[in-house]
PDB file of all heavy atoms in Angstrom:
ATOM      1  N   ARG Z1026      29.801-107.118-101.265  1.00  0.00           N
ATOM      2  CA  ARG Z1026      28.820-107.414-102.302  1.00  0.00           C
ATOM      3  C   ARG Z1026      27.836-106.254-102.361  1.00  0.00           C
ATOM      4  O   ARG Z1026      27.294-105.850-101.348  1.00  0.00           O
ATOM      5  CB  ARG Z1026      28.093-108.711-101.972  1.00  0.00           C
ATOM      6  CG  ARG Z1026      27.160-109.150-103.035  1.00  0.00           C
ATOM      7  CD  ARG Z1026      26.622-110.519-102.706  1.00  0.00           C
ATOM      8  NE  ARG Z1026      25.629-110.883-103.685  1.00  0.00           N
ATOM      9  CZ  ARG Z1026      25.120-112.086-103.772  1.00  0.00           C
ATOM     10  NH1 ARG Z1026      25.503-113.027-102.943  1.00  0.00           N
ATOM     11  NH2 ARG Z1026      24.221-112.344-104.671  1.00  0.00           N
ATOM     12  N   GLU Z1027      27.599-105.746-103.546  1.00  0.00           N
ATOM     13  CA  GLU Z1027      26.756-104.552-103.681  1.00  0.00           C
ATOM     14  C   GLU Z1027      25.398-104.830-104.283  1.00  0.00           C
ATOM     15  O   GLU Z1027      24.629-103.917-104.509  1.00  0.00           O
ATOM     16  CB  GLU Z1027      27.483-103.515-104.528  1.00  0.00           C
ATOM     17  CG  GLU Z1027      28.721-103.004-103.826  1.00  0.00           C
ATOM     18  CD  GLU Z1027      29.390-101.886-104.571  1.00  0.00           C
ATOM     19  OE1 GLU Z1027      28.841-101.426-105.583  1.00  0.00           O
ATOM     20  OE2 GLU Z1027      30.460-101.466-104.129  1.00  0.00           O
ATOM     21  N   THR Z1028      25.101-106.077-104.552  1.00  0.00           N
ATOM     22  CA  THR Z1028      23.798-106.400-105.114  1.00  0.00           C
ATOM     23  C   THR Z1028      23.092-107.392-104.221  1.00  0.00           C
ATOM     24  O   THR Z1028      23.716-108.112-103.452  1.00  0.00           O
ATOM     25  CB  THR Z1028      23.927-107.018-106.527  1.00  0.00           C
ATOM     26  OG1 THR Z1028      24.714-108.209-106.426  1.00  0.00           O
ATOM     27  CG2 THR Z1028      24.568-106.043-107.493  1.00  0.00           C
ATOM     28  N   GLY Z1029      21.779-107.418-104.321  1.00  0.00           N
ATOM     29  CA  GLY Z1029      20.994-108.357-103.540  1.00  0.00           C
ATOM     30  C   GLY Z1029      20.412-107.710-102.307  1.00  0.00           C
ATOM     31  O   GLY Z1029      21.113-107.072-101.542  1.00  0.00           O
ATOM     32  N   ASP Z1030      19.132-107.876-102.118  1.00  0.00           N
ATOM     33  CA  ASP Z1030      18.451-107.270-100.973  1.00  0.00           C
ATOM     34  C   ASP Z1030      18.997-107.751 -99.639  1.00  0.00           C
ATOM     35  O   ASP Z1030      18.995-107.028 -98.663  1.00  0.00           O
ATOM     36  CB  ASP Z1030      16.949-107.568-101.042  1.00  0.00           C
ATOM     37  CG  ASP Z1030      16.274-106.852-102.191  1.00  0.00           C
ATOM     38  OD1 ASP Z1030      16.839-105.854-102.678  1.00  0.00           O
ATOM     39  OD2 ASP Z1030      15.196-107.299-102.607  1.00  0.00           O
ATOM     40  N   GLU Z1031      19.477-109.007 -99.608  1.00  0.00           N
ATOM     41  CA  GLU Z1031      19.962-109.561 -98.348  1.00  0.00           C
ATOM     42  C   GLU Z1031      21.246-108.899 -97.875  1.00  0.00           C
ATOM     43  O   GLU Z1031      21.657-109.068 -96.735  1.00  0.00           O
ATOM     44  CB  GLU Z1031      20.176-111.077 -98.468  1.00  0.00           C
ATOM     45  CG  GLU Z1031      21.348-111.478 -99.338  1.00  0.00           C
ATOM     46  CD  GLU Z1031      21.103-111.460-100.840  1.00  0.00           C
ATOM     47  OE1 GLU Z1031      20.008-111.067-101.284  1.00  0.00           O
ATOM     48  OE2 GLU Z1031      22.009-111.819-101.579  1.00  0.00           O
ATOM     49  N   ASP Z1032      21.896-108.133 -98.728  1.00  0.00           N
ATOM     50  CA  ASP Z1032      23.177-107.544 -98.362  1.00  0.00           C
ATOM     51  C   ASP Z1032      23.086-106.086 -97.915  1.00  0.00           C
ATOM     52  O   ASP Z1032      24.103-105.433 -97.727  1.00  0.00           O
ATOM     53  CB  ASP Z1032      24.154-107.667 -99.538  1.00  0.00           C
ATOM     54  CG  ASP Z1032      24.530-109.115 -99.777  1.00  0.00           C
ATOM     55  OD1 ASP Z1032      24.898-109.783 -98.801  1.00  0.00           O
ATOM     56  OD2 ASP Z1032      24.421-109.564-100.919  1.00  0.00           O
ATOM     57  N   TRP Z1033      21.873-105.561 -97.719  1.00  0.00           N
ATOM     58  CA  TRP Z1033      21.741-104.158 -97.357  1.00  0.00           C
ATOM     59  C   TRP Z1033      22.461-103.830 -96.060  1.00  0.00           C
ATOM     60  O   TRP Z1033      23.124-102.815 -95.937  1.00  0.00           O
ATOM     61  CB  TRP Z1033      20.269-103.747 -97.262  1.00  0.00           C
ATOM     62  CG  TRP Z1033      19.561-104.366 -96.094  1.00  0.00           C
ATOM     63  CD1 TRP Z1033      18.884-105.543 -96.072  1.00  0.00           C
ATOM     64  CD2 TRP Z1033      19.488-103.849 -94.753  1.00  0.00           C
ATOM     65  NE1 TRP Z1033      18.398-105.803 -94.811  1.00  0.00           N
ATOM     66  CE2 TRP Z1033      18.743-104.779 -93.985  1.00  0.00           C
ATOM     67  CE3 TRP Z1033      19.974-102.704 -94.138  1.00  0.00           C
ATOM     68  CZ2 TRP Z1033      18.477-104.590 -92.633  1.00  0.00           C
ATOM     69  CZ3 TRP Z1033      19.705-102.515 -92.788  1.00  0.00           C
ATOM     70  CH2 TRP Z1033      18.956-103.452 -92.062  1.00  0.00           C
ATOM     71  N   ILE Z1034      22.371-104.718 -95.074  1.00  0.00           N
ATOM     72  CA  ILE Z1034      22.975-104.400 -93.781  1.00  0.00           C
ATOM     73  C   ILE Z1034      24.500-104.436 -93.868  1.00  0.00           C
ATOM     74  O   ILE Z1034      25.188-103.649 -93.236  1.00  0.00           O
ATOM     75  CB  ILE Z1034      22.432-105.317 -92.664  1.00  0.00           C
ATOM     76  CG1 ILE Z1034      22.683-104.647 -91.310  1.00  0.00           C
ATOM     77  CG2 ILE Z1034      23.023-106.712 -92.723  1.00  0.00           C
ATOM     78  CD1 ILE Z1034      21.774-105.124 -90.227  1.00  0.00           C
ATOM     79  N   HIS Z1035      25.038-105.314 -94.706  1.00  0.00           N
ATOM     80  CA  HIS Z1035      26.487-105.351 -94.892  1.00  0.00           C
ATOM     81  C   HIS Z1035      26.973-104.049 -95.538  1.00  0.00           C
ATOM     82  O   HIS Z1035      27.958-103.463 -95.106  1.00  0.00           O
ATOM     83  CB  HIS Z1035      26.883-106.544 -95.761  1.00  0.00           C
ATOM     84  CG  HIS Z1035      26.534-107.867 -95.160  1.00  0.00           C
ATOM     85  ND1 HIS Z1035      25.400-108.540 -95.496  1.00  0.00           N
ATOM     86  CD2 HIS Z1035      27.162-108.611 -94.239  1.00  0.00           C
ATOM     87  CE1 HIS Z1035      25.345-109.660 -94.814  1.00  0.00           C
ATOM     88  NE2 HIS Z1035      26.401-109.731 -94.037  1.00  0.00           N
ATOM     89  N   ARG Z1036      26.272-103.595 -96.553  1.00  0.00           N
ATOM     90  CA  ARG Z1036      26.660-102.345 -97.222  1.00  0.00           C
ATOM     91  C   ARG Z1036      26.591-101.176 -96.249  1.00  0.00           C
ATOM     92  O   ARG Z1036      27.457-100.311 -96.235  1.00  0.00           O
ATOM     93  CB  ARG Z1036      25.761-102.096 -98.438  1.00  0.00           C
ATOM     94  CG  ARG Z1036      26.050-103.001 -99.603  1.00  0.00           C
ATOM     95  CD  ARG Z1036      25.325-102.536-100.847  1.00  0.00           C
ATOM     96  NE  ARG Z1036      23.894-102.405-100.694  1.00  0.00           N
ATOM     97  CZ  ARG Z1036      23.018-103.414-100.826  1.00  0.00           C
ATOM     98  NH1 ARG Z1036      23.439-104.629-101.102  1.00  0.00           N
ATOM     99  NH2 ARG Z1036      21.736-103.204-100.691  1.00  0.00           N
ATOM    100  N   ARG Z1037      25.542-101.129 -95.451  1.00  0.00           N
ATOM    101  CA  ARG Z1037      25.384-100.046 -94.489  1.00  0.00           C
ATOM    102  C   ARG Z1037      26.545-100.037 -93.499  1.00  0.00           C
ATOM    103  O   ARG Z1037      27.103 -98.991 -93.181  1.00  0.00           O
ATOM    104  CB  ARG Z1037      24.061-100.202 -93.759  1.00  0.00           C
ATOM    105  CG  ARG Z1037      23.817 -99.111 -92.744  1.00  0.00           C
ATOM    106  CD  ARG Z1037      22.434 -99.238 -92.176  1.00  0.00           C
ATOM    107  NE  ARG Z1037      22.333 -98.457 -90.975  1.00  0.00           N
ATOM    108  CZ  ARG Z1037      21.303 -98.488 -90.171  1.00  0.00           C
ATOM    109  NH1 ARG Z1037      20.279 -99.255 -90.433  1.00  0.00           N
ATOM    110  NH2 ARG Z1037      21.283 -97.760 -89.083  1.00  0.00           N
ATOM    111  N   HIS Z1038      26.930-101.206 -92.981  1.00  0.00           N
ATOM    112  CA  HIS Z1038      28.051-101.285 -92.046  1.00  0.00           C
ATOM    113  C   HIS Z1038      29.314-100.741 -92.684  1.00  0.00           C
ATOM    114  O   HIS Z1038      30.030 -99.946 -92.091  1.00  0.00           O
ATOM    115  CB  HIS Z1038      28.335-102.738 -91.664  1.00  0.00           C
ATOM    116  CG  HIS Z1038      27.246-103.394 -90.906  1.00  0.00           C
ATOM    117  ND1 HIS Z1038      27.270-104.722 -90.637  1.00  0.00           N
ATOM    118  CD2 HIS Z1038      26.109-102.923 -90.369  1.00  0.00           C
ATOM    119  CE1 HIS Z1038      26.190-105.041 -89.954  1.00  0.00           C
ATOM    120  NE2 HIS Z1038      25.473-103.973 -89.788  1.00  0.00           N
ATOM    121  N   GLN Z1039      29.601-101.211 -93.877  1.00  0.00           N
ATOM    122  CA  GLN Z1039      30.844-100.822 -94.514  1.00  0.00           C
ATOM    123  C   GLN Z1039      30.859 -99.353 -94.867  1.00  0.00           C
ATOM    124  O   GLN Z1039      31.885 -98.688 -94.730  1.00  0.00           O
ATOM    125  CB  GLN Z1039      31.091-101.712 -95.725  1.00  0.00           C
ATOM    126  CG  GLN Z1039      31.408-103.118 -95.273  1.00  0.00           C
ATOM    127  CD  GLN Z1039      30.926-104.173 -96.219  1.00  0.00           C
ATOM    128  OE1 GLN Z1039      30.629-103.888 -97.363  1.00  0.00           O
ATOM    129  NE2 GLN Z1039      30.852-105.394 -95.746  1.00  0.00           N
ATOM    130  N   THR Z1040      29.737 -98.817 -95.283  1.00  0.00           N
ATOM    131  CA  THR Z1040      29.665 -97.408 -95.631  1.00  0.00           C
ATOM    132  C   THR Z1040      29.853 -96.541 -94.388  1.00  0.00           C
ATOM    133  O   THR Z1040      30.625 -95.597 -94.389  1.00  0.00           O
ATOM    134  CB  THR Z1040      28.316 -97.080 -96.290  1.00  0.00           C
ATOM    135  OG1 THR Z1040      28.187 -97.890 -97.450  1.00  0.00           O
ATOM    136  CG2 THR Z1040      28.238 -95.623 -96.677  1.00  0.00           C
ATOM    137  N   ARG Z1041      29.171 -96.876 -93.310  1.00  0.00           N
ATOM    138  CA  ARG Z1041      29.235 -96.065 -92.106  1.00  0.00           C
ATOM    139  C   ARG Z1041      30.530 -96.222 -91.342  1.00  0.00           C
ATOM    140  O   ARG Z1041      31.018 -95.285 -90.731  1.00  0.00           O
ATOM    141  CB  ARG Z1041      28.066 -96.425 -91.174  1.00  0.00           C
ATOM    142  CG  ARG Z1041      26.740 -95.908 -91.653  1.00  0.00           C
ATOM    143  CD  ARG Z1041      25.615 -96.194 -90.688  1.00  0.00           C
ATOM    144  NE  ARG Z1041      25.936 -95.710 -89.360  1.00  0.00           N
ATOM    145  CZ  ARG Z1041      25.652 -96.401 -88.250  1.00  0.00           C
ATOM    146  NH1 ARG Z1041      25.098 -97.561 -88.298  1.00  0.00           N
ATOM    147  NH2 ARG Z1041      25.945 -95.896 -87.080  1.00  0.00           N
ATOM    148  N   ARG Z1042      31.078 -97.421 -91.311  1.00  0.00           N
ATOM    149  CA  ARG Z1042      32.197 -97.695 -90.424  1.00  0.00           C
ATOM    150  C   ARG Z1042      33.557 -97.760 -91.101  1.00  0.00           C
ATOM    151  O   ARG Z1042      34.543 -97.328 -90.535  1.00  0.00           O
ATOM    152  CB  ARG Z1042      31.972 -99.023 -89.681  1.00  0.00           C
ATOM    153  CG  ARG Z1042      30.770 -99.009 -88.803  1.00  0.00           C
ATOM    154  CD  ARG Z1042      31.019 -98.154 -87.594  1.00  0.00           C
ATOM    155  NE  ARG Z1042      29.905 -98.291 -86.689  1.00  0.00           N
ATOM    156  CZ  ARG Z1042      29.603 -97.414 -85.770  1.00  0.00           C
ATOM    157  NH1 ARG Z1042      30.320 -96.340 -85.625  1.00  0.00           N
ATOM    158  NH2 ARG Z1042      28.579 -97.598 -84.990  1.00  0.00           N
ATOM    159  N   LEU Z1043      33.621 -98.336 -92.284  1.00  0.00           N
ATOM    160  CA  LEU Z1043      34.931 -98.608 -92.864  1.00  0.00           C
ATOM    161  C   LEU Z1043      35.451 -97.525 -93.783  1.00  0.00           C
ATOM    162  O   LEU Z1043      36.631 -97.212 -93.756  1.00  0.00           O
ATOM    163  CB  LEU Z1043      34.900 -99.937 -93.623  1.00  0.00           C
ATOM    164  CG  LEU Z1043      34.613-101.161 -92.765  1.00  0.00           C
ATOM    165  CD1 LEU Z1043      34.595-102.404 -93.632  1.00  0.00           C
ATOM    166  CD2 LEU Z1043      35.629-101.306 -91.664  1.00  0.00           C
ATOM    167  N   ILE Z1044      34.597 -96.965 -94.602  1.00  0.00           N
ATOM    168  CA  ILE Z1044      35.067 -96.000 -95.592  1.00  0.00           C
ATOM    169  C   ILE Z1044      35.814 -94.829 -94.949  1.00  0.00           C
ATOM    170  O   ILE Z1044      36.863 -94.437 -95.442  1.00  0.00           O
ATOM    171  CB  ILE Z1044      33.920 -95.548 -96.510  1.00  0.00           C
ATOM    172  CG1 ILE Z1044      33.526 -96.735 -97.407  1.00  0.00           C
ATOM    173  CG2 ILE Z1044      34.311 -94.330 -97.331  1.00  0.00           C
ATOM    174  CD1 ILE Z1044      32.302 -96.507 -98.252  1.00  0.00           C
ATOM    175  N   PRO Z1045      35.349 -94.286 -93.816  1.00  0.00           N
ATOM    176  CA  PRO Z1045      36.098 -93.167 -93.214  1.00  0.00           C
ATOM    177  C   PRO Z1045      37.391 -93.578 -92.506  1.00  0.00           C
ATOM    178  O   PRO Z1045      38.091 -92.745 -91.990  1.00  0.00           O
ATOM    179  CB  PRO Z1045      35.114 -92.599 -92.195  1.00  0.00           C
ATOM    180  CG  PRO Z1045      33.815 -93.243 -92.419  1.00  0.00           C
ATOM    181  CD  PRO Z1045      34.080 -94.506 -93.174  1.00  0.00           C
ATOM    182  N   MET Z1046      37.729 -94.872 -92.499  1.00  0.00           N
ATOM    183  CA  MET Z1046      38.824 -95.335 -91.650  1.00  0.00           C
ATOM    184  C   MET Z1046      40.098 -95.654 -92.420  1.00  0.00           C
ATOM    185  O   MET Z1046      40.744 -96.655 -92.167  1.00  0.00           O
ATOM    186  CB  MET Z1046      38.375 -96.565 -90.875  1.00  0.00           C
ATOM    187  CG  MET Z1046      37.221 -96.272 -89.948  1.00  0.00           C
ATOM    188  SD  MET Z1046      36.946 -97.610 -88.837  1.00  0.00           S
ATOM    189  CE  MET Z1046      38.447 -97.587 -87.904  1.00  0.00           C
ATOM    190  N   ASN Z1047      40.503 -94.847 -93.336  1.00  0.00           N
ATOM    191  CA  ASN Z1047      41.697 -95.119 -94.125  1.00  0.00           C
ATOM    192  C   ASN Z1047      42.944 -95.315 -93.268  1.00  0.00           C
ATOM    193  O   ASN Z1047      43.884 -95.960 -93.681  1.00  0.00           O
ATOM    194  CB  ASN Z1047      41.926 -94.001 -95.135  1.00  0.00           C
ATOM    195  CG  ASN Z1047      40.849 -93.981 -96.185  1.00  0.00           C
ATOM    196  OD1 ASN Z1047      40.275 -95.013 -96.493  1.00  0.00           O
ATOM    197  ND2 ASN Z1047      40.567 -92.819 -96.716  1.00  0.00           N
ATOM    198  N   LYS Z1048      42.967 -94.768 -92.079  1.00  0.00           N
ATOM    199  CA  LYS Z1048      44.142 -94.882 -91.214  1.00  0.00           C
ATOM    200  C   LYS Z1048      44.414 -96.316 -90.776  1.00  0.00           C
ATOM    201  O   LYS Z1048      45.465 -96.625 -90.271  1.00  0.00           O
ATOM    202  CB  LYS Z1048      43.981 -93.993 -89.985  1.00  0.00           C
ATOM    203  CG  LYS Z1048      42.858 -94.421 -89.069  1.00  0.00           C
ATOM    204  CD  LYS Z1048      42.719 -93.497 -87.885  1.00  0.00           C
ATOM    205  CE  LYS Z1048      41.581 -93.986 -86.998  1.00  0.00           C
ATOM    206  NZ  LYS Z1048      41.413 -93.179 -85.843  1.00  0.00           N
ATOM    207  N   HIS Z1049      43.459 -97.203 -90.956  1.00  0.00           N
ATOM    208  CA  HIS Z1049      43.610 -98.580 -90.500  1.00  0.00           C
ATOM    209  C   HIS Z1049      43.941 -99.566 -91.607  1.00  0.00           C
ATOM    210  O   HIS Z1049      43.682-100.756 -91.475  1.00  0.00           O
ATOM    211  CB  HIS Z1049      42.349 -99.049 -89.771  1.00  0.00           C
ATOM    212  CG  HIS Z1049      42.210 -98.460 -88.404  1.00  0.00           C
ATOM    213  ND1 HIS Z1049      43.092 -98.716 -87.387  1.00  0.00           N
ATOM    214  CD2 HIS Z1049      41.299 -97.614 -87.897  1.00  0.00           C
ATOM    215  CE1 HIS Z1049      42.727 -98.058 -86.303  1.00  0.00           C
ATOM    216  NE2 HIS Z1049      41.654 -97.383 -86.586  1.00  0.00           N
ATOM    217  N   ASN Z1050      44.545 -99.099 -92.689  1.00  0.00           N
ATOM    218  CA  ASN Z1050      44.952-100.008 -93.757  1.00  0.00           C
ATOM    219  C   ASN Z1050      43.795-100.865 -94.262  1.00  0.00           C
ATOM    220  O   ASN Z1050      43.929-102.073 -94.420  1.00  0.00           O
ATOM    221  CB  ASN Z1050      46.107-100.901 -93.310  1.00  0.00           C
ATOM    222  CG  ASN Z1050      47.331-100.106 -92.946  1.00  0.00           C
ATOM    223  OD1 ASN Z1050      47.657 -99.136 -93.621  1.00  0.00           O
ATOM    224  ND2 ASN Z1050      48.005-100.486 -91.885  1.00  0.00           N
ATOM    225  N   ILE Z1051      42.664-100.240 -94.492  1.00  0.00           N
ATOM    226  CA  ILE Z1051      41.497-100.950 -94.998  1.00  0.00           C
ATOM    227  C   ILE Z1051      41.412-100.734 -96.498  1.00  0.00           C
ATOM    228  O   ILE Z1051      41.438 -99.609 -96.987  1.00  0.00           O
ATOM    229  CB  ILE Z1051      40.210-100.457 -94.319  1.00  0.00           C
ATOM    230  CG1 ILE Z1051      40.259-100.793 -92.831  1.00  0.00           C
ATOM    231  CG2 ILE Z1051      38.989-101.080 -94.976  1.00  0.00           C
ATOM    232  CD1 ILE Z1051      39.123-100.238 -92.042  1.00  0.00           C
ATOM    233  N   HIS Z1052      41.307-101.831 -97.214  1.00  0.00           N
ATOM    234  CA  HIS Z1052      41.188-101.797 -98.661  1.00  0.00           C
ATOM    235  C   HIS Z1052      39.830-102.388 -99.019  1.00  0.00           C
ATOM    236  O   HIS Z1052      39.594-103.571 -98.777  1.00  0.00           O
ATOM    237  CB  HIS Z1052      42.317-102.599 -99.310  1.00  0.00           C
ATOM    238  CG  HIS Z1052      43.660-102.234 -98.771  1.00  0.00           C
ATOM    239  ND1 HIS Z1052      44.360-101.125 -99.228  1.00  0.00           N
ATOM    240  CD2 HIS Z1052      44.420-102.794 -97.807  1.00  0.00           C
ATOM    241  CE1 HIS Z1052      45.500-101.041 -98.564  1.00  0.00           C
ATOM    242  NE2 HIS Z1052      45.557-102.038 -97.695  1.00  0.00           N
ATOM    243  N   LEU Z1053      38.950-101.561 -99.547  1.00  0.00           N
ATOM    244  CA  LEU Z1053      37.611-102.019 -99.916  1.00  0.00           C
ATOM    245  C   LEU Z1053      37.581-102.377-101.389  1.00  0.00           C
ATOM    246  O   LEU Z1053      38.124-101.650-102.220  1.00  0.00           O
ATOM    247  CB  LEU Z1053      36.577-100.922 -99.643  1.00  0.00           C
ATOM    248  CG  LEU Z1053      36.346-100.549 -98.186  1.00  0.00           C
ATOM    249  CD1 LEU Z1053      35.433 -99.351 -98.095  1.00  0.00           C
ATOM    250  CD2 LEU Z1053      35.771-101.721 -97.420  1.00  0.00           C
ATOM    251  N   GLN Z1054      36.931-103.474-101.698  1.00  0.00           N
ATOM    252  CA  GLN Z1054      36.770-103.870-103.093  1.00  0.00           C
ATOM    253  C   GLN Z1054      35.357-104.408-103.280  1.00  0.00           C
ATOM    254  O   GLN Z1054      34.863-105.188-102.479  1.00  0.00           O
ATOM    255  CB  GLN Z1054      37.778-104.941-103.477  1.00  0.00           C
ATOM    256  CG  GLN Z1054      37.715-105.297-104.936  1.00  0.00           C
ATOM    257  CD  GLN Z1054      38.877-106.187-105.354  1.00  0.00           C
ATOM    258  OE1 GLN Z1054      39.889-106.280-104.687  1.00  0.00           O
ATOM    259  NE2 GLN Z1054      38.712-106.838-106.480  1.00  0.00           N
ATOM    260  N   SER Z1055      34.744-103.978-104.350  1.00  0.00           N
ATOM    261  CA  SER Z1055      33.388-104.411-104.648  1.00  0.00           C
ATOM    262  C   SER Z1055      33.397-105.772-105.339  1.00  0.00           C
ATOM    263  O   SER Z1055      34.228-106.031-106.212  1.00  0.00           O
ATOM    264  CB  SER Z1055      32.718-103.381-105.568  1.00  0.00           C
ATOM    265  OG  SER Z1055      31.453-103.838-105.946  1.00  0.00           O
ATOM    266  N   ILE Z1056      32.513-106.632-104.899  1.00  0.00           N
ATOM    267  CA  ILE Z1056      32.290-107.909-105.575  1.00  0.00           C
ATOM    268  C   ILE Z1056      30.798-108.069-105.748  1.00  0.00           C
ATOM    269  O   ILE Z1056      30.025-107.653-104.908  1.00  0.00           O
ATOM    270  CB  ILE Z1056      32.854-109.111-104.794  1.00  0.00           C
ATOM    271  CG1 ILE Z1056      32.298-109.144-103.365  1.00  0.00           C
ATOM    272  CG2 ILE Z1056      34.358-109.132-104.814  1.00  0.00           C
ATOM    273  CD1 ILE Z1056      32.595-110.413-102.617  1.00  0.00           C
ATOM    274  N   ASN Z1057      30.394-108.610-106.825  1.00  0.00           N
ATOM    275  CA  ASN Z1057      28.964-108.849-107.041  1.00  0.00           C
ATOM    276  C   ASN Z1057      28.712-110.336-107.124  1.00  0.00           C
ATOM    277  O   ASN Z1057      28.107-110.844-108.059  1.00  0.00           O
ATOM    278  CB  ASN Z1057      28.479-108.110-108.289  1.00  0.00           C
ATOM    279  CG  ASN Z1057      28.373-106.624-108.006  1.00  0.00           C
ATOM    280  OD1 ASN Z1057      27.944-106.225-106.922  1.00  0.00           O
ATOM    281  ND2 ASN Z1057      28.789-105.810-108.933  1.00  0.00           N
ATOM    282  N   ALA Z1058      29.217-111.031-106.107  1.00  0.00           N
ATOM    283  CA  ALA Z1058      29.033-112.470-106.015  1.00  0.00           C
ATOM    284  C   ALA Z1058      29.174-112.881-104.558  1.00  0.00           C
ATOM    285  O   ALA Z1058      29.863-112.216-103.787  1.00  0.00           O
ATOM    286  CB  ALA Z1058      30.082-113.183-106.861  1.00  0.00           C
ATOM    287  N   GLY Z1059      28.541-113.954-104.204  1.00  0.00           N
ATOM    288  CA  GLY Z1059      28.705-114.526-102.883  1.00  0.00           C
ATOM    289  C   GLY Z1059      29.935-115.425-102.862  1.00  0.00           C
ATOM    290  O   GLY Z1059      30.560-115.681-103.898  1.00  0.00           O
ATOM    291  N   LEU Z1060      30.283-115.908-101.683  1.00  0.00           N
ATOM    292  CA  LEU Z1060      31.468-116.760-101.569  1.00  0.00           C
ATOM    293  C   LEU Z1060      31.365-118.023-102.415  1.00  0.00           C
ATOM    294  O   LEU Z1060      32.341-118.445-103.028  1.00  0.00           O
ATOM    295  CB  LEU Z1060      31.704-117.135-100.110  1.00  0.00           C
ATOM    296  CG  LEU Z1060      32.475-116.119 -99.295  1.00  0.00           C
ATOM    297  CD1 LEU Z1060      32.549-116.528 -97.835  1.00  0.00           C
ATOM    298  CD2 LEU Z1060      33.863-115.927 -99.845  1.00  0.00           C
ATOM    299  N   LYS Z1061      30.196-118.627-102.457  1.00  0.00           N
ATOM    300  CA  LYS Z1061      30.021-119.839-103.265  1.00  0.00           C
ATOM    301  C   LYS Z1061      30.289-119.524-104.737  1.00  0.00           C
ATOM    302  O   LYS Z1061      30.994-120.273-105.425  1.00  0.00           O
ATOM    303  CB  LYS Z1061      28.623-120.417-103.088  1.00  0.00           C
ATOM    304  CG  LYS Z1061      28.406-121.708-103.854  1.00  0.00           C
ATOM    305  CD  LYS Z1061      27.006-122.253-103.622  1.00  0.00           C
ATOM    306  CE  LYS Z1061      26.763-123.571-104.295  1.00  0.00           C
ATOM    307  NZ  LYS Z1061      27.078-123.659-105.682  1.00  0.00           N
TER     308      LYS Z1061
END
């Protein structure tokens, strides 16, 4: 999720840790909604 102040830490984790890790079959997709 890329919107909402409460999601800053999630975005930071994914940017720092996941984006450089293509070797691990990680597929990132943006959603602008919560699970509900």
Side-chain angles (χ1 to χ4, degrees):
R1026 185 173 175 170
E1027 294 186 6
T1028 59
D1030 292 339
E1031 70 280 3
D1032 292 310
W1033 69 269
I1034 200 157
H1035 298 97
R1036 287 191 304 276
R1037 180 174 164 188
H1038 295 172
Q1039 291 147 17
T1040 301
R1041 287 184 53 221
R1042 298 288 187 202
L1043 297 179
I1044 290 173
M1046 298 192 65
N1047 293 331
K1048 66 181 180 179
H1049 286 296
N1050 299 320
I1051 295 174
H1052 311 278
L1053 294 173
Q1054 185 170 342
S1055 175
I1056 55 169
N1057 286 320
L1060 276 175
K1061 183 179 183 309

